[in-house]
Amino acid sequence: MRHDHVITSKQLSRSDIETVLDRAAEIRDDPTAVADRHAGALLGLLFFEPSTRTKMSFETAMKRLGGDVVDMGSVESSSVKKGETLADTVRVIEGYADALVLRHPKQGAATMASEFVDVPLLNAGDGAGQHPTQTLLDLYTIRENAGLEDLTIGIMGDLKYGRTVHSLAYALSNFDAHQHFISPESLRLPREVVYDLHQEQERAQVREHESLEEILPSLDVLYVTRIQRERFPDETEYQKIAGEYQIGVDTLEAASDDLTVMHPLPRVDEIAPEVDETEHAAYFEQAHNGVPVRMALLDLLLGDEGGEDDE
Amino acid sequence: MRHDHVITSKQLSRSDIETVLDRAAEIRDDPTAVADRHAGALLGLLFFEPSTRTKMSFETAMKRLGGDVVDMGSVESSSVKKGETLADTVRVIEGYADALVLRHPKQGAATMASEFVDVPLLNAGDGAGQHPTQTLLDLYTIRENAGLEDLTIGIMGDLKYGRTVHSLAYALSNFDAHQHFISPESLRLPREVVYDLHQEQERAQVREHESLEEILPSLDVLYVTRIQRERFPDETEYQKIAGEYQIGVDTLEAASDDLTVMHPLPRVDEIAPEVDETEHAAYFEQAHNGVPVRMALLDLLLGDEGGEDDE
Amino acid sequence: MRHDHVITSKQLSRSDIETVLDRAAEIRDDPTAVADRHAGALLGLLFFEPSTRTKMSFETAMKRLGGDVVDMGSVESSSVKKGETLADTVRVIEGYADALVLRHPKQGAATMASEFVDVPLLNAGDGAGQHPTQTLLDLYTIRENAGLEDLTIGIMGDLKYGRTVHSLAYALSNFDAHQHFISPESLRLPREVVYDLHQEQERAQVREHESLEEILPSLDVLYVTRIQRERFPDETEYQKIAGEYQIGVDTLEAASDDLTVMHPLPRVDEIAPEVDETEHAAYFEQAHNGVPVRMALLDLLLGDEGGEDDE
């Protein structure tokens, strides 16, 4: 994977994914072994949209590898205000850094930008598009808690607009996952995503539901996402729908004892705070997994003596 | 003090304070001895309110110890905008860092946040509440310039709202300080603070004044704070009062030659620039002392081989 | 040059410039030789105006030398909002860092600030004033591509307000450069700059043109700057003038094969994207040269074992 760009979860083969997750597990077990591994290396951060956890997690990962970051800062304080194109911005910043991380509001921005640079570029979210490093940390969390073999997963909430969900669904099609999608009618998975999943995964078991109730007992993992108020023209409609898709301790009584509950965070009301105290809750662990997974990915991309892990 | 949270100056015993100040003096004398001491350690910065010197001073301290920081950035560019609770934010960022620094506009925020995290959390100001690391650097500056034994200090300006002043007054009650509070009637120390001081310090010598004149000649230290325009409904009233509490070189003619003038900065008109050139001025030194004092505190909290200094 | 401030390109002698450019070339050839040279050193960044490439380039330079930065952040999140003077701000931050970089909207700010601090202060742009490190990287790029001896350079665009242009013109007067200034009548070089150039450079060959056409074939370097829309009261007038000073591949057919095209970036429409693919384009290289040039300058100012390079 050395010197490649990481743009979409679709580009990642099962073998690519396993290489990253295995390396992440190694790093997690012995972080001191890599504490100086990329000393002197710089990661350029280009966030054209706000981000807390993705940005901090990349920054932490790079620093835990002995490297450092250079950050473009907010769009308001940058040359973008003066009308510079994205192609020019990435070509300039490429001269400062050994790899780049890009978040941008426009779908396709990462693909376009990657064509102008020679250093590895990692997509940290492009509008309604992809967010492949989120997917990798999701897969890592699933593997640690429930295993990726013979998995039954429910993915619930806003399935129409959530880039996290689309990235994850494509990646899971590499494994023999049974995927259940639970959402209100108006926020169903886009038809083309469903179509793609059936194409890509011969043994796909992709089913859609409007209610969690019927499927909850069979799930190994329940992946909850936020239903955004601004998707609804009417506040009453939002309240009614959001309420139906909230998870409390009572909801989970019908679930398997081993059910793992995930969420990409930030959450608002989707999961009640009481759930945090249960064995089901894996969402903070999931956020923390961003560090070893991004360390693994950066380590593989930056190469060096780590050649034997690359492909 | 290892693995404790530092939330309020009230929690610090005389012995705690002396441990930190002694360590700060050691570090100041030989900074190279600790230059790599916390290599690889990360300090998480969560500033929910603007700050220049506190934030930069923590960042400098951590880097002078060989460590690094990960910064949440401004609230505008963070997940807080999406409605995330403080409890969730600190639990996520805890996964990135070995200790956290929190500034928050709400009083009590640091106490609440500390209940959700396992790494040490340092309060860098919680609304009208506490700001204990400012107090430690104030105490360090007083000790270096006038000594903490048999101290006579005047604290002047806005004593009603200033968290710096309340933190300092509580800490000084651990030493046999004679504390004189000088302010306009409308900005006097809150009654509960005066009450607490009398409770906590058996030999307290706490007196209040409306004018500096009568007490100035007896002072070892004069600690000036800013009177904020926005506290006054009427501009004329503000001008009149602010003028009475300004310090110029002429004001200081009545003072002891050894008087030390301090200010937490930023200042506006409270101290005339001419005072900067006199031997009295200690406010820039005071700001700079933030670095060794915070280095000492971080070093004690992060522990490691430094165990013999911990308690 | 050790422990000096770097405020204006006028203060730099030919020998100073050559010292920096020679050191930059050494660093470029073997960056690993300096990768730990300033470990533990901190550079304070004070940007009172937005900047992407200057700020990131200084940050990259300091980190590539093994050092680190402490950043004041945006004015909105700093004590400046509370009415602190620049003199106070720099005196506080001086206590955190081993050198300071200052960008400020007011002309003369860097000179004033430098009088209050003991650590080296580098001017990164003061309003319509100077931007000497930009000049040094421009000179480095010229030397690498066309040589500084017997140079014929065209400088085109907004010559009235561009601080980059004024800094460069003064510096080039140290070398026997033939300088051609190409601009619309309303954006000509200020009369005092022309006067100064004639004073400082006995053999000055300073000529002004309204059109590029007549002079293009004789140029070794064409330095293009942005014509800002906001300089024109009338959009039609702007469109007409901006159009006349745009460079496309067709424009360059009349140029020497060896012509080097430079631009301080960001560009908007001044240079067509097709030019990027030609051998003429040196503007991304120019931006990247900011790193070795600023590394060289910081290395010389921070001194240490590097004494033999200092003067």
Side-chain angles (χ1 to χ4, degrees):
Chain A
M1 181 180 301
R2 191 193 302 216
H3 292 308
D4 272 352
H5 304 302
V6 178
I7 306 297
T8 157
S9 67
K10 285 187 192 177
Q11 83 182 67
L12 300 171
S13 68
R14 181 171 173 141
S15 157
D16 285 335
I17 292 168
E18 286 172 342
T19 300
V20 176
L21 302 197
D22 290 348
R23 186 79 183 111
E26 276 174 43
I27 287 173
R28 175 127 223 179
D29 287 346
D30 186 9
T32 58
V34 293
D36 283 318
R37 191 171 156 76
H38 295 285
L42 292 179
L43 180 65
L45 304 179
L46 295 88
F47 281 75
F48 288 81
E49 273 192 333
S51 161
T52 302
R53 69 204 69 243
T54 301
K55 189 171 160 185
M56 289 186 85
S57 170
F58 265 114
E59 183 167 349
T60 302
M62 194 63 186
K63 291 178 172 180
R64 295 283 188 208
L65 290 167
D68 207 335
V69 301
V70 283
D71 184 354
M72 185 185 75
S74 70
V75 171
E76 287 68 35
S77 70
S78 83
S79 289
V80 177
K81 270 206 333 186
K82 299 178 188 162
E84 186 170 65
T85 63
L86 178 59
D88 276 15
T89 301
V90 296
R91 273 182 290 186
V92 168
I93 296 179
E94 170 186 34
Y96 305 151
D98 303 295
L100 301 177
V101 177
L102 174 69
R103 169 168 290 186
H104 198 278
K106 290 227 180 89
Q107 193 164 352
T111 303
M112 188 279 277
S114 70
E115 288 161 11
F116 286 92
V117 296
D118 291 324
V119 300
L121 185 144
L122 295 98
N123 182 9
D126 59 330
Q130 286 269 329
H131 191 3
T133 63
Q134 175 73 42
T135 298
L136 287 165
L137 74 89
D138 289 343
L139 294 171
Y140 183 82
T141 308
I142 294 168
R143 193 171 80 165
E144 293 281 304
N145 284 277
L148 283 163
E149 304 303 324
D150 198 25
L151 173 74
T152 301
I153 186 171
I155 302 181
M156 183 170 88
D158 178 354
L159 308 182
K160 187 170 180 184
Y161 299 100
R163 62 185 165 204
T164 296
V165 163
H166 306 168
S167 279
L168 180 59
Y170 285 120
L172 284 170
S173 70
N174 284 300
F175 301 85
D176 289 335
H178 300 243
Q179 300 194 53
H180 296 271
F181 296 95
I182 307 125
S183 73
E185 172 68 24
S186 62
L187 294 175
R188 284 173 73 186
L189 213 56
R191 291 307 88 194
E192 66 272 24
V193 175
V194 176
Y195 177 83
D196 283 355
L197 290 175
H198 284 291
Q199 291 297 107
E200 290 186 17
Q201 183 181 2
E202 215 168 338
R203 287 160 295 178
Q205 307 230 13
V206 174
R207 288 179 54 201
E208 298 179 87
H209 312 260
E210 279 201 52
S211 155
L212 176 63
E213 204 175 356
E214 62 184 35
I215 192 66
L216 179 61
S218 68
L219 297 180
D220 302 310
V221 172
L222 174 60
Y223 193 108
V224 183
T225 67
R226 192 154 50 101
I227 293 183
Q228 292 180 282
R229 199 177 298 259
E230 54 269 34
R231 302 296 183 208
F232 293 84
D234 183 310
E235 175 71 18
T236 329
E237 185 69 5
Y238 163 74
Q239 290 295 353
K240 184 171 143 279
I241 283 188
E244 280 177 36
Y245 295 89
Q246 280 165 9
I247 301 296
V249 282
D250 51 336
T251 323
L252 297 177
E253 280 169 16
S256 153
D257 285 351
D258 294 333
L259 176 73
T260 297
V261 177
M262 296 173 62
H263 190 297
L265 303 180
R267 66 171 160 179
V268 182
D269 299 317
E270 306 89 67
I271 302 177
E274 294 77 48
V275 178
D276 302 357
E277 310 305 319
T278 69
E279 293 287 318
H280 299 297
Y283 27 92
F284 292 115
E285 171 194 337
Q286 179 186 359
H288 298 171
N289 284 339
V291 177
V293 168
R294 291 185 172 107
M295 287 172 78
L297 194 60
L298 289 169
D299 185 42
L300 293 166
L301 290 168
L302 291 168
D304 268 342
E305 315 83 356
E308 71 277 14
D309 293 323
D310 299 343
E311 45 169 310
Chain B
M1 181 179 303
R2 190 194 302 217
H3 292 310
D4 272 352
H5 305 302
V6 178
I7 305 298
T8 156
S9 67
K10 286 188 191 177
Q11 84 182 66
L12 300 172
S13 68
R14 181 172 174 143
S15 156
D16 285 335
I17 291 167
E18 286 171 344
T19 301
V20 176
L21 303 196
D22 290 348
R23 186 79 183 111
E26 275 173 42
I27 287 173
R28 176 127 222 180
D29 288 346
D30 186 9
T32 58
V34 293
D36 283 319
R37 192 171 157 77
H38 295 285
L42 291 179
L43 181 65
L45 304 179
L46 296 87
F47 280 76
F48 288 82
E49 273 192 332
S51 162
T52 302
R53 70 205 68 243
T54 301
K55 188 171 163 186
M56 289 185 85
S57 169
F58 265 114
E59 182 167 352
T60 302
M62 193 63 185
K63 291 178 172 179
R64 295 283 189 207
L65 290 167
D68 208 335
V69 302
V70 283
D71 185 354
M72 185 186 75
S74 70
V75 171
E76 286 68 36
S77 70
S78 83
S79 289
V80 177
K81 271 206 331 187
K82 299 179 190 163
E84 186 171 65
T85 64
L86 178 59
D88 276 16
T89 301
V90 296
R91 272 182 289 186
V92 168
I93 297 179
E94 170 185 36
Y96 305 151
D98 303 296
L100 301 177
V101 177
L102 174 69
R103 169 168 291 187
H104 198 277
K106 290 228 181 88
Q107 192 164 352
T111 303
M112 187 279 276
S114 71
E115 288 160 12
F116 286 93
V117 296
D118 291 323
V119 300
L121 184 143
L122 293 98
N123 182 8
D126 59 330
Q130 286 269 328
H131 191 3
T133 63
Q134 175 72 43
T135 297
L136 287 165
L137 74 90
D138 288 344
L139 293 170
Y140 183 82
T141 308
I142 293 169
R143 193 171 79 165
E144 293 281 304
N145 284 276
L148 282 164
E149 304 303 323
D150 199 25
L151 173 74
T152 301
I153 185 170
I155 302 181
M156 185 170 87
D158 178 354
L159 308 182
K160 187 170 181 184
Y161 301 100
R163 63 184 165 204
T164 296
V165 164
H166 306 168
S167 279
L168 179 60
Y170 285 120
L172 284 170
S173 71
N174 283 301
F175 302 86
D176 289 333
H178 300 244
Q179 300 194 53
H180 298 271
F181 296 95
I182 307 126
S183 73
E185 173 68 25
S186 62
L187 295 176
R188 283 175 73 187
L189 213 54
R191 290 308 88 192
E192 65 271 24
V193 176
V194 175
Y195 177 82
D196 283 355
L197 291 176
H198 284 292
Q199 290 298 107
E200 291 186 17
Q201 183 181 4
E202 214 167 336
R203 287 161 296 178
Q205 307 233 12
V206 174
R207 289 179 54 199
E208 298 179 86
H209 311 260
E210 280 201 50
S211 155
L212 176 63
E213 204 175 355
E214 61 185 36
I215 192 66
L216 179 60
S218 67
L219 297 180
D220 302 311
V221 171
L222 175 60
Y223 193 107
V224 184
T225 67
R226 192 154 50 103
I227 294 183
Q228 293 180 279
R229 199 177 298 260
E230 54 270 33
R231 302 297 182 206
F232 292 85
D234 183 310
E235 175 72 16
T236 330
E237 186 68 8
Y238 163 74
Q239 290 295 352
K240 184 170 144 281
I241 283 188
E244 279 177 36
Y245 295 90
Q246 280 166 8
I247 301 296
V249 282
D250 50 337
T251 322
L252 297 177
E253 280 168 17
S256 154
D257 285 353
D258 295 333
L259 176 74
T260 298
V261 177
M262 295 173 63
H263 191 297
L265 303 181
R267 66 172 160 179
V268 182
D269 299 316
E270 307 88 66
I271 302 177
E274 294 78 47
V275 178
D276 302 358
E277 310 306 320
T278 71
E279 293 287 318
H280 300 297
Y283 27 92
F284 292 115
E285 172 194 337
Q286 179 186 359
H288 298 171
N289 284 338
V291 177
V293 168
R294 291 184 172 109
M295 288 173 78
L297 195 60
L298 289 169
D299 184 42
L300 293 166
L301 290 169
L302 291 168
D304 268 343
E305 315 83 357
E308 68 279 13
D309 294 321
D310 299 343
E311 43 170 312
Chain C
M1 183 180 298
R2 190 196 301 216
H3 291 311
D4 273 351
H5 305 302
V6 179
I7 306 299
T8 156
S9 67
K10 286 188 192 177
Q11 83 181 67
L12 300 171
S13 68
R14 181 172 173 143
S15 158
D16 285 336
I17 291 167
E18 285 172 344
T19 300
V20 176
L21 303 198
D22 290 348
R23 187 79 183 111
E26 275 174 43
I27 287 173
R28 176 127 222 181
D29 287 347
D30 186 9
T32 58
V34 293
D36 283 318
R37 190 170 157 77
H38 296 285
L42 291 179
L43 181 65
L45 304 179
L46 295 88
F47 280 76
F48 288 82
E49 274 191 331
S51 162
T52 302
R53 68 204 70 242
T54 301
K55 189 171 161 185
M56 289 186 87
S57 169
F58 266 115
E59 183 167 349
T60 302
M62 193 63 186
K63 291 178 172 178
R64 295 284 189 206
L65 290 167
D68 207 335
V69 301
V70 283
D71 184 353
M72 186 186 74
S74 70
V75 171
E76 286 68 36
S77 70
S78 84
S79 289
V80 177
K81 271 205 335 187
K82 298 178 188 162
E84 186 170 66
T85 64
L86 178 59
D88 276 15
T89 302
V90 296
R91 273 182 290 187
V92 168
I93 296 179
E94 168 185 37
Y96 305 151
D98 303 294
L100 301 178
V101 177
L102 175 68
R103 169 168 290 186
H104 199 277
K106 290 229 180 87
Q107 192 163 353
T111 303
M112 188 279 277
S114 70
E115 287 161 11
F116 286 93
V117 295
D118 290 324
V119 300
L121 184 143
L122 294 98
N123 183 7
D126 59 331
Q130 286 269 328
H131 191 4
T133 63
Q134 175 73 43
T135 297
L136 286 165
L137 76 88
D138 288 344
L139 293 171
Y140 183 81
T141 308
I142 293 169
R143 193 170 81 164
E144 294 280 305
N145 284 276
L148 283 164
E149 304 303 323
D150 199 25
L151 173 73
T152 300
I153 185 171
I155 302 181
M156 184 170 87
D158 177 353
L159 308 182
K160 187 169 181 184
Y161 300 100
R163 61 184 166 205
T164 296
V165 163
H166 305 168
S167 280
L168 180 60
Y170 284 120
L172 285 170
S173 70
N174 284 300
F175 301 86
D176 290 333
H178 299 243
Q179 300 194 52
H180 296 271
F181 296 96
I182 306 125
S183 73
E185 173 66 26
S186 62
L187 294 175
R188 284 174 72 187
L189 213 56
R191 289 309 88 192
E192 65 272 23
V193 175
V194 176
Y195 177 82
D196 283 355
L197 291 176
H198 283 293
Q199 289 298 105
E200 290 186 17
Q201 184 181 4
E202 215 168 336
R203 286 161 296 178
Q205 306 233 15
V206 174
R207 288 178 56 198
E208 298 179 86
H209 311 260
E210 280 201 51
S211 154
L212 176 62
E213 204 175 357
E214 61 185 33
I215 192 66
L216 178 60
S218 67
L219 298 179
D220 301 312
V221 172
L222 175 61
Y223 193 108
V224 183
T225 67
R226 191 154 50 102
I227 294 182
Q228 293 180 279
R229 198 177 299 260
E230 53 270 34
R231 303 296 182 206
F232 292 84
D234 184 311
E235 176 71 17
T236 330
E237 185 68 5
Y238 162 75
Q239 290 294 354
K240 183 170 143 280
I241 284 189
E244 281 177 34
Y245 295 88
Q246 280 166 9
I247 301 296
V249 282
D250 50 338
T251 322
L252 297 176
E253 281 168 16
S256 152
D257 285 352
D258 294 334
L259 176 74
T260 298
V261 177
M262 295 173 62
H263 191 297
L265 302 183
R267 67 171 159 180
V268 182
D269 299 316
E270 306 87 65
I271 303 177
E274 295 78 47
V275 177
D276 302 358
E277 310 305 320
T278 70
E279 293 287 319
H280 299 297
Y283 27 91
F284 292 115
E285 172 195 337
Q286 179 186 0
H288 298 171
N289 285 338
V291 177
V293 168
R294 291 185 172 107
M295 287 173 79
L297 194 60
L298 289 168
D299 185 42
L300 293 165
L301 290 168
L302 291 168
D304 269 343
E305 314 84 356
E308 69 278 13
D309 293 322
D310 298 343
E311 43 169 312

